[in-house]
Amino acid sequence: MNSVEGLVNQIQGLSTTASDVLSLQNLLKQADDSLHAESTRLLPFLDQLDPSKHSLGYLYFLEACTAGPVSKEQAGSYVLMIARFITSCIAEQIRLAPDKFITVCKRFKDQVLLLEEPLRGVAPMLTAIRKLQSSSEHLTALHPEFLLLCLLSRCYKAGLSILEEDVFEVDQPRDLFLFCYYGGMISIGKKWFQKALELLHNVVTAPMSTVNAIAVEAFKKYILVSLIHHGQLLFVFSSSSPSGDLSHGLTFFWLQSPTNLPNYSNGKIADIETYVEANKDKFESDNNLGLVKQVVSSMYKRNIQRLTQTYLTLSLQDIANRVQLNSPKEAEMHVLQMVILDLLMTLSKKLNGVDELMSCDPLYLLKAGRERQRFDFDDFDNVPQRFNI
């Protein structure tokens, strides 16, 4: 009998009791190299295994099957197969081989991106996180992958479901860096700037031996969000900070960066706009142009608020003159935006309840993924997918 066929029979016979599964785990570990050597002929054998009963054995076969290069044509069938496995597998079995489960799920993420359908990966990846987690306080290696899919599909509400959970257990520091960075970007996409600042602050103040690329990208966005939300840069370091020794490195980056908008707090808006236009290419290549534009817009609004607090009545022409707008019409536009903002926030809260239910519904996600545009670069910036640490 062929060794692969014999292993399938052992999987079928040793997947019932906990002691049998532990015995099967040892057999699968010993057969792992052989499975990878036979990877091109393993796919038909998966039909003989039930992922809801033979989860551990199915995982070993599936990991070996997907180890090689995958074409766009193959990705379609693999995505369906892996999604079915994630949905039906037994959590207790896959936790016996967490590294293999993580590997398969990351390949699943790569394949939905290859198909340019990130929304298809959101619901299965969230299910994978729940099955892999030892508790809701456990940050897994799949958390950043899930948030990346939420970002690329603009399914922010689904991402917020795990950002609200407290984290006390982290497997790898890099997972925490990416989790907070992507979480910060999701919060920016929802205009929840205070939450974004908290998450980005976690990245740039986390213990690290050297400044890494994730911290640098997070610091850029922390600066811009701080300017939008507070009207000034709130420095993130203190002498007691675990990353205090890195503050000089990030501060040097800040001084050398085009993100360093000149004299923001007391400068003329016209000077800021001229600077932004002159450095537009740098901001675009940094994927921060959208945020920079929001900084300038917030500057107008903040100046108008200061004026209305000082003077009881001002004409639109007065506002335009004092805030350095070109015309009373522009002043009217900014004032109207500020007035209707409270109304929009109230309406948004009412809609969020409905949106939360819909955005986590797999059938809705599948339908919306076929119709929704991939990205709106004016509202949000591109998402860097690779970093060097």
Side-chain angles (χ1 to χ4, degrees), residues 202-231:
N202 290 341
V203 180
V204 298
T205 60
M208 61 186 86
S209 56
T210 59
V211 177
N212 63 60
I214 305 173
V216 169
E217 295 301 318
F219 192 47
K220 295 175 186 177
K221 286 183 169 55
Y222 182 91
I223 293 168
L224 295 171
V225 174
S226 183
L227 294 177
I228 293 169
H229 191 57
H230 294 294

Side-chain angles (χ1 to χ4, degrees), residues 365-380:
L365 295 177
L366 182 63
K367 182 177 185 297
R370 300 192 184 112
E371 301 172 356
R372 185 180 298 180
Q373 294 180 353
R374 271 183 52 78
F375 230 71
D376 184 345
F377 288 93
D378 291 331
D379 292 340
F380 205 74

Side-chain angles (χ1 to χ4, degrees), residues 354-365:
V354 178
D355 180 48
E356 184 171 359
L357 295 175
M358 293 180 61
S359 63
C360 296
D361 182 356
L363 294 178
Y364 169 76
L365 295 177

Side-chain angles (χ1 to χ4, degrees), residues 280-291:
K280 182 178 179 180
D281 292 342
K282 293 179 182 178
F283 286 124
E284 278 187 317
S285 65
D286 229 7
N287 299 312
N288 282 321
L289 183 59
L291 277 177

